[in-house]
Amino acid sequence: MSRNPENREGFRPEDHPNEHFLLTTVVGSYPKPKWLNRASDLAEDSDSKFDAEDLTEAHDDACRVITHEHERAGLDTVVDGEMRREEMVEFFAERIEGYEFNGPVKVWGHNYFDKPSVVDEVEYDEPWLVDEFAFTDAVASRPVKVPITGPYTLANWSFNEAYDDNEALAYDLADLVNEEVEKLVEAGARYVQIDEPALATTPDDHAIVGECLDRIVAGVPEDVRIGLHVCYGDYSRVYPEINDYPIDEFDVELCNGDYEQIDVFADGAFAPDLALGVVDAHVAEVESVEEIKANIREGLKVVPPEKLTVSPDCGLKLLPREIAYGKMENLVRATRELEAELDAGEIEVPAADGTTAPADD
């Protein structure tokens, strides 16, 4: 199913230069300014005079900088680059009653992850992201997207010491995410992205993710855009099942794989909007405008322009900041140029009967 893909028109800027509109956005994370990492180190140093209040100010400043950087690149929707977050599971586990931390776990090479444990029934206490969203929304001139780590990933990337199985834990977590989304909507949020990277590693659980999403969107107005981001994996194991998910947009990581899996979705029945990664988050080189335009055309093999969102493959936080910005700047330029070509009828797009036709037919 698709909730209400028409809500994407609400993100078209008033001064948009073209008749066609391909929504441009980012997945979530973005490189932190180097001084923010230094500020975090100072806040942890008991001998420094840099305290928690100072760190909050530093986070606020970084959020302003990155939000404005996204706007300067021309993105239609922005995020604060997740400046206040270090890791996508830890951040939420620290805010959910029932979780505790017992030290880092080695995950690969010399990398460690503070994998949390669920030791009691999870409960919603204080809002997780409402203040963060309100701050970013106040400094932004463009709509703000809110990424939230999904309940399936929160369950599967934690030690479960309290529930009979991860399925039951995921459902309880989904109810908490629903509470948070409702509070975000009350605060003015219109675009929420649920991140479920764990689905790519255990795709046979797609029905569990579907039930989680049903719980998350319960009572959420249809003018609020709900996206689902799933990192690289075998998408043939979750499609066409994702057509039954109550989402507006399915965000996939295909650029890094040279779009080898694009045909998985090209059966003419893809239900939600397609959010297509068109720059590679794993490569520290800025793709040319022409290369990005060719990548966007891969998405037009699956959906018509009015159902295509353009984004990076994944979060950009591991890239040098100047590279991340260059990718965003070229992504927007490529999208606007391709929209103009669509307006001129120079590009063939999918038609309802499975054939192709110029965009202005």
Side-chain angles (χ1 to χ4, degrees):
M1 79 185 69
S2 185
R3 292 179 78 245
N4 179 26
E6 289 77 11
N7 59 31
R8 76 196 317 274
E9 274 297 309
F11 300 96
R12 179 194 287 261
E14 291 183 1
D15 60 351
H16 189 68
N18 303 312
E19 180 180 349
H20 278 85
F21 173 55
L22 278 64
L23 178 65
T24 59
T25 188
V26 282
V27 172
S29 69
Y30 196 78
K32 288 181 169 65
K34 292 183 176 62
W35 52 261
L36 181 59
N37 294 325
R38 176 59 177 151
S40 298
D41 292 339
L42 284 171
E44 294 176 0
D45 183 356
S46 58
D47 294 329
S48 79
K49 296 181 180 180
F50 198 89
D51 58 19
E53 185 176 342
D54 296 324
L55 183 59
T56 296
E57 181 179 341
H59 281 144
D60 288 350
D61 289 343
C63 289
R64 287 189 187 94
V65 167
I66 300 306
T67 299
H68 292 155
E69 195 161 298
H70 287 169
E71 293 183 331
R72 190 166 68 252
L75 291 165
D76 300 311
T77 62
V78 301
V79 300
D80 65 3
E82 301 181 1
M83 293 294 105
R84 305 176 200 275
R85 311 185 198 182
E86 292 298 330
E87 202 282 328
M88 67 184 305
V89 172
E90 291 174 26
F91 179 88
F92 292 94
E94 288 171 347
R95 289 157 175 78
I96 298 174
E97 293 291 328
Y99 273 93
E100 69 175 29
F101 290 87
N102 296 300
V105 175
K106 191 172 184 178
V107 286
W108 70 86
H110 297 287
N111 294 291
Y112 288 82
F113 160 50
D114 279 337
K115 186 172 181 177
S117 298
V118 179
V119 297
D120 203 349
E121 184 174 327
V122 293
E123 296 181 3
Y124 189 89
D125 184 16
E126 301 271 333
W128 311 334
L129 300 169
V130 172
D131 289 345
E132 174 183 309
F133 164 76
F135 180 90
T136 306
D137 190 50
V139 303
S141 61
R142 297 287 178 100
V144 175
K145 180 168 75 172
V146 184
I148 301 178
T149 303
Y152 181 78
T153 296
L154 288 172
N156 281 270
W157 289 5
S158 306
F159 294 114
N160 179 7
E161 301 174 11
Y163 286 76
D164 290 339
D165 52 45
N166 282 353
E167 180 177 356
L169 171 58
Y171 293 157
D172 274 7
L173 287 166
D175 292 337
L176 304 192
V177 175
N178 171 258
E179 288 190 57
E180 179 67 13
V181 171
E182 288 185 339
K183 286 182 169 54
L184 285 165
V185 171
E186 290 173 6
R190 295 188 292 130
Y191 195 173
V192 176
Q193 174 184 286
I194 307 300
D195 294 324
E196 288 288 13
L199 178 59
T201 61
T202 50
D204 292 335
D205 283 353
H206 52 74
I208 297 174
V209 174
E211 172 63 23
C212 286
L213 289 165
D214 283 336
R215 292 170 180 246
I216 289 170
V217 304
V220 176
E222 288 194 350
D223 62 349
V224 176
R225 188 167 182 82
I226 302 293
L228 173 67
H229 173 67
V230 178
C231 296
Y232 189 81
D234 184 355
Y235 293 119
S236 68
R237 295 175 66 183
V238 297
Y239 184 79
E241 286 80 6
I242 64 101
N243 280 343
D244 295 326
Y245 287 178
I247 57 176
D248 299 302
E249 179 180 273
F250 186 53
D251 191 313
V252 293
E253 182 178 335
L254 292 179
C255 185
N256 184 253
D258 295 324
Y259 300 97
E260 290 181 357
Q261 293 193 69
I262 195 70
D263 289 343
V264 168
F265 308 113
D267 60 357
F270 191 83
D273 286 1
L274 175 66
L276 183 71
V278 299
V279 295
D280 194 336
H282 307 283
V283 175
E285 296 178 3
V286 177
E287 294 88 345
S288 69
V289 169
E290 287 304 316
E291 183 179 353
I292 296 172
K293 285 166 69 174
N295 293 343
I296 295 172
R297 291 189 191 99
E298 293 288 336
L300 294 176
K301 296 177 181 178
V302 177
V303 295
E306 63 271 16
K307 287 176 61 67
L308 186 60
T309 297
V310 180
S311 73
D313 251 356
C314 201
L316 300 174
K317 69 177 182 179
L318 298 181
L319 292 174
R321 188 167 149 209
E322 66 274 12
I323 296 294
Y325 180 78
K327 285 176 182 278
M328 295 302 91
E329 191 173 45
N330 279 6
L331 179 152
V332 172
R333 181 180 168 191
T335 302
R336 302 289 93 101
E337 287 186 8
L338 191 135
E339 287 172 346
E341 293 170 12
L342 286 165
D343 285 356
E346 298 171 2
I347 299 175
E348 293 186 336
V349 297
D353 61 2
T355 62
T356 57
D360 61 348
D361 273 15

